[in-house]
Amino acid sequence: MSPTTVLLLLSLVLQTPLNALKTSKDCIGGGGGDGSLQFDLYLTSCPLAEAIIFSGVQRAVADDARMAASLLRLHFHDCFVNGCDASVLLDDTAEMTGEKTAGPNANSLRGFDVVDGIKAELEMACPETVSCADLLAIAARDSVLLSGGPTWPVEVGRRDGTVASLSMATTNLPSPTSGVATLLQKFENVGLSAKDMVALSGAHTIGKARCSTFASRLTGTGDRLFLQSLRQLCSGSPSSNGTTTASSLVHLDVGSPMVFDNQYYANLFAGEGLLQSDQALAGEAGEVGLLAKAYAADEALFFEDFTASMVRMGRLAPPAGSSGEVRKSCRAVNS
């Protein structure tokens, strides 16, 4: 599929959501931290930017369906550390230890090679124009769309950071073992609400997790047969090829693992939330529990709130005064 064809397809898909979001933008909030984010920044400077990104994500997901969740997760893990500045993509240097080896990211984040490939295409089409941070935001949207979920217009105009923070990645990112109070605090710390937390948790309707990330669930409460199957899968006993199952990957959503839908929330109320941080939502009284229950009952409501929260998260800006650039390579600052 040519970039022009992809652009036409994408524009048709986006037409209705774009009109809807424009009419409700005041309800979502202002632009980025410096007011620079906008919807059509690349319309003249790099008109094929979104088509190039969509095509790259489409190829990656066709080759590995799990990549959709991985690219979505990269955007999350980027924005929670000094705002959405693509710092998560920076490799370590002699002067700086990046975020890739932080506890929440090490041996977990993936898709860096996919980002590299898309960035290389963007640089050929429009040198030093499309930031890596915008690439991540658009790829996250496309990953959801290609998984059967909703779409939304992505505001662009982010600058790429020139530093990364191992310590902030270690402390800022939510943990799969966190309780609701901790989750709410982590989101509040970056300016996101309880509603954002519950809606964005729905990203776990796609993707997988290693046994080590949900070990606490093996002895927790929930559906008996579900927990029994997890204990068997994660027992660590030798498998037929001589390896152990302790590092097995398990679907976050056992009901419809490859489709972006609201099944994740239904799973929670059936006691089938994989992560402790997920299952905790169903047992919470007040706004958190009511929202999770509402999303389980109404997929359209979940989609509406999820897309609005993605836009809000995408507006998380680096601290005032931070320098930025459009990196030529997403792995390194410009020389």
Side-chain angles (χ1 to χ4, degrees), residues 93-231:
T93 67
E95 296 78 25
M96 181 196 71
T97 302
E99 298 165 20
K100 293 179 179 179
T101 56
N105 296 336
N107 301 314
S108 176
L109 288 187
R110 59 198 295 270
F112 299 109
D113 54 338
V114 173
V115 173
D116 291 340
I118 295 173
K119 178 60 173 173
E121 291 186 51
L122 290 170
E123 286 300 299
M124 289 182 63
C126 320
E128 299 179 59
T129 302
V130 181
S131 69
C132 299
D134 282 346
L135 191 169
L136 287 182
I138 296 169
R141 186 272 312 279
D142 294 346
S143 294
V144 171
L145 175 63
L146 288 166
S147 300
T151 187
W152 62 95
V154 176
E155 294 175 319
V156 294
R158 300 168 187 82
R159 304 285 285 177
D160 296 327
T162 56
V163 296
S165 175
L166 175 68
S167 61
M168 290 190 70
T170 301
T171 58
N172 286 21
L173 291 166
S175 164
T177 60
S178 295
V180 170
T182 301
L183 291 173
L184 290 172
Q185 188 62 59
K186 298 273 189 182
F187 276 72
E188 182 181 336
N189 288 346
V190 297
L192 296 175
S193 68
K195 185 176 183 179
D196 293 323
M197 186 274 285
V198 181
L200 292 175
S201 293
H204 286 170
T205 188
I206 55 175
K208 296 182 179 183
R210 297 185 185 278
C211 292
S212 58
T213 65
F214 57 87
S216 58
R217 287 287 287 134
L218 303 182
T219 56
T221 59
D223 179 78
R224 181 179 61 83
L225 293 179
F226 173 69
L227 295 178
Q228 182 179 335
S229 68
L230 293 184
R231 284 192 288 269

Side-chain angles (χ1 to χ4, degrees), residues 12 40 43 47 86 116 136 149 158 175 179 182 194 205 211 232 243 245 253-254 257 285-286 291 316 335:
L12 291 173
D40 56 0
L43 191 60
D116 291 340
L136 287 182
R158 300 168 187 82
S175 164
T182 301
T205 188
C211 292
Q232 183 176 5
T243 62
T245 58
D253 175 356
V254 297
L291 281 167
L316 297 180
S335 55

